Short mmCIF file of all heavy atoms in Angstrom, two decimals:
data_model
loop_
_atom_site.label_atom_id
_atom_site.label_comp_id
_atom_site.label_asym_id
_atom_site.label_seq_id
_atom_site.Cartn_x
_atom_site.Cartn_y
_atom_site.Cartn_z
N VAL A 4 -75.69 47.77 -34.12
CA VAL A 4 -75.52 49.21 -34.07
C VAL A 4 -76.16 49.72 -35.41
O VAL A 4 -75.89 49.34 -36.50
CB VAL A 4 -74.07 49.49 -34.09
CG1 VAL A 4 -73.78 51.03 -33.96
CG2 VAL A 4 -73.43 48.90 -32.85
N ASN A 32 -67.50 51.74 -24.10
CA ASN A 32 -67.36 52.99 -24.64
C ASN A 32 -68.01 53.13 -25.99
O ASN A 32 -68.54 52.18 -26.55
CB ASN A 32 -65.84 53.37 -24.78
CG ASN A 32 -65.14 52.32 -25.63
OD1 ASN A 32 -65.66 51.77 -26.54
ND2 ASN A 32 -63.89 52.17 -25.30
N GLN A 34 -67.34 55.28 -29.80
CA GLN A 34 -66.40 56.09 -30.64
C GLN A 34 -66.99 56.60 -31.86
O GLN A 34 -67.63 55.80 -32.64
CB GLN A 34 -65.05 55.43 -30.82
CG GLN A 34 -63.95 56.22 -31.21
CD GLN A 34 -62.56 55.55 -31.00
OE1 GLN A 34 -62.43 54.51 -30.57
NE2 GLN A 34 -61.46 56.16 -31.69
N GLN A 38 -65.08 58.99 -42.13
CA GLN A 38 -64.36 58.34 -43.19
C GLN A 38 -64.58 59.12 -44.48
O GLN A 38 -65.73 59.26 -44.88
CB GLN A 38 -64.98 56.88 -43.32
CG GLN A 38 -64.12 56.05 -44.35
CD GLN A 38 -64.57 54.59 -44.35
OE1 GLN A 38 -65.62 54.27 -44.18
NE2 GLN A 38 -63.69 53.79 -44.76
N SER A 46 -60.51 59.30 -36.10
CA SER A 46 -61.32 59.40 -34.73
C SER A 46 -61.64 60.74 -34.45
O SER A 46 -60.88 61.70 -34.70
CB SER A 46 -60.51 58.81 -33.65
OG SER A 46 -61.07 58.96 -32.42
N GLN A 51 -66.57 57.47 -22.83
CA GLN A 51 -66.61 56.23 -21.97
C GLN A 51 -67.95 56.06 -21.41
O GLN A 51 -68.76 57.02 -21.32
CB GLN A 51 -65.52 56.49 -20.80
CG GLN A 51 -64.07 56.64 -21.25
CD GLN A 51 -63.45 55.41 -21.85
OE1 GLN A 51 -64.04 54.32 -21.88
NE2 GLN A 51 -62.16 55.50 -22.23
N SER A 96 -63.58 45.52 -22.25
CA SER A 96 -62.29 46.29 -22.02
C SER A 96 -61.20 45.81 -22.97
O SER A 96 -60.07 46.43 -22.96
CB SER A 96 -61.81 45.91 -20.56
OG SER A 96 -61.58 44.55 -20.42
N GLY A 98 -61.28 46.08 -26.27
CA GLY A 98 -61.17 47.07 -27.22
C GLY A 98 -61.88 46.75 -28.42
O GLY A 98 -62.01 47.73 -29.38
N LEU A 100 -64.28 46.89 -31.41
CA LEU A 100 -65.32 47.88 -31.82
C LEU A 100 -66.30 47.18 -32.72
O LEU A 100 -65.93 46.44 -33.67
CB LEU A 100 -64.72 49.11 -32.47
CG LEU A 100 -63.95 50.03 -31.56
CD1 LEU A 100 -63.32 51.14 -32.30
CD2 LEU A 100 -64.81 50.55 -30.40
N TYR B 35 -59.19 45.20 -38.73
CA TYR B 35 -60.59 45.25 -39.17
C TYR B 35 -60.64 45.17 -40.68
O TYR B 35 -59.59 45.37 -41.35
CB TYR B 35 -61.20 46.57 -38.67
CG TYR B 35 -61.38 46.94 -37.24
CD1 TYR B 35 -60.30 47.32 -36.52
CD2 TYR B 35 -62.56 46.64 -36.65
CE1 TYR B 35 -60.38 47.65 -35.19
CE2 TYR B 35 -62.69 47.00 -35.34
CZ TYR B 35 -61.62 47.38 -34.49
OH TYR B 35 -61.78 47.63 -33.21
N GLN B 37 -63.23 46.06 -44.23
CA GLN B 37 -64.42 46.65 -44.83
C GLN B 37 -64.63 46.19 -46.21
O GLN B 37 -63.85 46.65 -47.13
CB GLN B 37 -64.49 48.17 -44.67
CG GLN B 37 -65.67 48.86 -45.07
CD GLN B 37 -65.68 50.43 -44.87
OE1 GLN B 37 -64.62 50.91 -45.02
NE2 GLN B 37 -66.79 51.00 -44.53
N LYS B 42 -70.36 47.42 -43.73
CA LYS B 42 -69.85 47.83 -42.46
C LYS B 42 -68.38 47.47 -42.20
O LYS B 42 -67.88 46.51 -42.74
CB LYS B 42 -70.61 47.27 -41.31
CG LYS B 42 -72.03 47.77 -41.23
CD LYS B 42 -72.77 47.19 -39.96
CE LYS B 42 -74.14 47.64 -39.84
NZ LYS B 42 -74.79 47.23 -38.52
N SER B 55 -56.11 38.56 -28.14
CA SER B 55 -57.04 38.62 -26.99
C SER B 55 -58.42 38.30 -27.34
O SER B 55 -59.28 38.00 -26.41
CB SER B 55 -56.85 40.01 -26.31
OG SER B 55 -56.95 41.03 -27.29
N GLU B 56 -58.79 38.64 -28.65
CA GLU B 56 -60.12 38.39 -29.02
C GLU B 56 -60.11 38.15 -30.55
O GLU B 56 -59.30 38.87 -31.15
CB GLU B 56 -61.09 39.44 -28.63
CG GLU B 56 -62.60 39.09 -28.72
CD GLU B 56 -63.50 40.21 -28.11
OE1 GLU B 56 -62.94 41.22 -27.60
OE2 GLU B 56 -64.72 39.91 -28.04
N GLY B 98 -57.01 48.95 -23.74
CA GLY B 98 -58.05 48.32 -24.33
C GLY B 98 -59.31 48.96 -24.68
O GLY B 98 -59.79 48.83 -25.81
N ALA B 99 -59.70 49.78 -23.78
CA ALA B 99 -61.03 50.59 -24.11
C ALA B 99 -60.74 52.05 -24.25
O ALA B 99 -61.64 52.79 -24.05
CB ALA B 99 -61.82 50.36 -22.89
N GLU B 101 -59.18 55.32 -26.96
CA GLU B 101 -59.38 55.72 -28.27
C GLU B 101 -58.51 54.94 -29.33
O GLU B 101 -57.27 54.79 -29.05
CB GLU B 101 -59.10 57.21 -28.43
CG GLU B 101 -59.50 57.82 -29.72
CD GLU B 101 -59.46 59.38 -29.65
OE1 GLU B 101 -58.84 59.87 -28.59
OE2 GLU B 101 -59.84 60.05 -30.55
N GLN B 102 -59.19 54.36 -30.31
CA GLN B 102 -58.44 53.72 -31.31
C GLN B 102 -57.99 54.57 -32.50
O GLN B 102 -58.93 55.36 -33.03
CB GLN B 102 -59.23 52.39 -31.85
CG GLN B 102 -59.36 51.39 -30.79
CD GLN B 102 -59.96 50.10 -31.33
OE1 GLN B 102 -60.02 49.79 -32.48
NE2 GLN B 102 -60.61 49.42 -30.37
#
Side-chain angles (χ1 to χ4, degrees):
Chain A
V4 183
N32 58 28
Q34 195 165 351
Q38 185 174 30
S46 177
Q51 299 289 2
S96 61
L100 289 176
Chain B
Y35 294 83
Q37 186 176 32
K42 291 183 179 184
S55 48
E56 193 169 7
E101 191 169 7
Q102 289 186 27

